[in-house]
Amino acid sequence: GNSVTQMEGPVTLSEEAFLTINCTYTATGYPSLFWYVQYPGEGLQLLLKATKADDKGSNKGFEATYRKETTSFHLEKGSVQVSDSAVYFCALEGGSEKLVFGKGTKLTVNP
Amino acid sequence: ETGVTQTPRHLVMGMTNKKSLKCEQHLGHNAMYWYKQSAKKPLELMFVYNFKEQTENNSVPSRFSPECPNSSHLFLHLHTLQPEDSALYLCASSLTSKTDSGNTIYFGEGSWLTVV
């Protein structure tokens, strides 16, 4: 079945540092890929998505590119802020399976 | 505000109690979901409803009983739960439950359940 592997956290950065959270996937066919974010005490919110190879999803300064050759969808941001502190989930949907999530990566940004 | 509202936000219940979680979506979606989020585990899909009909039950114990009276409302009835059922229960909705559609799923803020 489909699966998502994302880097183990937690990740701690200083404000304005560069962020990368790795995500790789296993799926048949051409899945859609997502990043969701969960701020403290809240539910999950869609951050960005890409539905086909080489698509780049972007939102709030975050970007991720759908790389079929490496089966990856790494999340990046050039300059993180304290307000970006949250848990980030990579997810995919495809074939006959519903949305499958990674375990989440907790990001803490210090001032 | 995602358009998916869950109540209560926090619930503490004994193992012999019966309680219900409620979810309402104002997005005009046709599919609704219950997920369980436990510490250090991936999100677990519990149930899927499409146009009020249950289309997926991921081997969830019968002490969790979902109800979907219409496309906008979803309940999770809880009875004789165990302490290990303590978790964040997330409701979600999407336009369709059809896969391979690039469908975006919108989540509520969750109901924190503690079983004592």
Side-chain angles (χ1 to χ4, degrees):
Chain A
N2 295 341
S3 68
V4 172
T5 302
Q6 61 181 105
M7 62 187 285
E8 296 278 337
V11 174
T12 303
L13 296 173
S14 297
E15 211 164 20
E16 299 184 2
F18 184 84
L19 168 71
T20 300
I21 300 178
N22 290 340
C23 172
T24 57
Y25 67 88
T26 302
T28 54
Y30 299 91
S32 295
L33 300 172
F34 305 81
W35 276 101
Y36 280 82
V37 59
Q38 186 175 31
Y39 297 104
E42 298 184 14
L44 275 71
Q45 302 174 30
L46 179 68
L47 181 60
L48 52 85
K49 72 177 186 181
T51 57
K52 60 182 190 296
D54 299 324
D55 266 3
K56 178 187 282 187
S58 61
N59 185 25
K60 299 182 182 180
F62 291 89
E63 293 183 341
T65 301
Y66 187 155
R67 303 274 188 212
K68 188 158 178 66
E69 64 276 14
T70 54
T71 61
S72 66
F73 193 54
H74 304 322
L75 182 68
E76 296 183 336
K77 186 173 185 181
S79 176
V80 293
Q81 306 299 312
V82 172
S83 57
D84 293 326
S85 298
V87 181
Y88 292 82
F89 294 88
C90 186
L92 75 84
E93 180 207 54
S96 60
E97 297 185 42
K98 296 290 186 293
L99 202 59
V100 172
F101 287 86
K103 290 186 178 181
T105 303
K106 183 176 181 180
L107 170 67
T108 301
V109 180
N110 295 318
Chain B
E1 174 58 49
T2 62
V4 181
T5 305
Q6 290 187 240
T7 54
R9 294 293 314 278
H10 298 272
L11 177 63
V12 178
M13 61 185 288
M15 288 189 283
T16 58
N17 291 159
K18 282 186 182 181
K19 297 285 184 184
S20 296
L21 305 181
K22 179 182 174 183
C23 177
E24 183 174 359
Q25 57 95 0
H26 308 277
L27 300 169
H29 289 164
N30 300 308
M32 295 189 79
Y33 311 77
W34 280 116
Y35 283 85
K36 177 182 179 182
Q37 185 177 25
S38 305
K40 302 188 191 302
K41 283 188 177 181
L43 261 71
E44 300 171 55
L45 178 63
M46 300 173 72
F47 302 103
V48 182
Y49 278 81
N50 201 35
F51 291 97
K52 304 190 303 178
E53 299 299 319
Q54 187 180 119
T55 57
E56 200 156 330
N57 174 343
N58 279 348
S59 304
V60 180
S62 59
R63 57 186 185 269
F64 295 92
S65 173
E67 179 190 359
C68 188
N70 55 60
S71 292
S72 299
H73 293 85
L74 184 64
F75 295 89
L76 188 62
H77 303 301
L78 314 169
H79 179 45
T80 59
L81 296 192
Q82 305 298 311
E84 59 265 29
D85 296 322
S86 299
L88 178 66
Y89 289 84
L90 291 163
C91 176
S93 72
S94 63
L95 191 58
T96 173
S97 65
K98 180 178 180 298
T99 55
D100 274 340
S101 61
N103 212 10
T104 296
I105 292 183
Y106 294 84
F107 286 84
E109 293 188 325
S111 293
W112 286 97
L113 172 67
T114 303
V115 182
V116 297

